[in-house]
Amino acid sequence: TANDIDLLLQQLIAGSIGVQQQLILQLSDLGDEGLHALMEFLLKRRETKATWIDGNAYQVLYKSNAPKAKEFLLSCFPEGIVPLKSECGIDYNCLQQLLAVQDFQAADRLTLQKMCELAGLTAIQRKWLYFTEVENFPITDLHTINHLWLVHSEGKFGFSVQREIWLGLSKNWENFWSKIGWKNGNNWTRYPNEFTWNLSAPKGHLPLSNQLRGVRVIASLFSHPAWN
Ligand code: UYC
């Protein structure tokens, strides 16, 4: 009933993260009224920085075929729940759309593409990055890309997640590759089929950074002032 759903909404607003995740799942199964509660939830949390709980609620609405949900997102969150700020006029809307439907493989490709755009024309043509280019990336853009990954992966994926793991392993690359599933024993995980393109992956598994040309690019990314 409407009262039951209202109770779920109150619990959703007040609950711990684990409870919230459960409740979003429940509400997603309760038809239009459940979706409506999720809309209210998102509106209520609008002024605070989006977390992966907001991401979950948003994804349910985004993936639902309910016309009311579509209308709501279009008018209240036309560019998603993460502010798509860029210091160089880069459009992150496609990336947010891929992540909203959790197409992590396509989002991973686009992330590299966007970072090449950040680096400039020569990097766009080259299709890979120099570490010196990464050093000069604007903090704003790295925050936007990272926040998008975090929010749409239940906090599992993103550069900041990878960096924390790397720091926790005293910056030991070999241990880091194993930990995030980029290496298994002595064997590199092969692109693309051996990677795990969903949330069953190890924490920090995505986004990828090709190690064919060495660790300097990812080292530069992890040392960027964006994460201070
Ligand atoms: N690949 O093995 N990778 C590619 C990864 C390595 C290789 C792309 C990640 C080891 C070649 C992405 C790992 C290695 C190509 C990644 C990994 C290797 C390629 C597509 C685990 C051999 C084709 C985007 C660390 C031993 C290159 C891109 C080409 C592609 C990612 C080989 C995202 C995380 C050392 C030969 N690998 N890569 O960058 O030019 O091309 O066509 O890291």
Side-chain angles (χ1 to χ4, degrees), residues 108-109 112 126-129 162 177 180-183 186-192 194-195 197 205-214 218:
D108 179 68
R109 294 301 67 225
L112 177 63
R126 193 192 314 130
K127 295 186 164 62
W128 49 275
L129 298 163
Q162 295 171 334
W177 309 139
I180 65 171
W182 287 8
K183 216 170 178 177
N186 279 327
N187 303 315
W188 295 101
T189 304
R190 291 222 207 140
Y191 183 83
E194 288 180 4
F195 290 93
W197 303 105
H205 193 61
L206 300 174
L208 298 184
S209 166
N210 191 358
Q211 297 308 310
L212 193 58
R213 297 173 192 89
I218 197 167

Side-chain angles (χ1 to χ4, degrees), residues 192-203:
N193 290 335
E194 288 180 4
F195 290 93
T196 305
W197 303 105
N198 58 57
L199 290 182
S200 74
K203 199 171 175 186

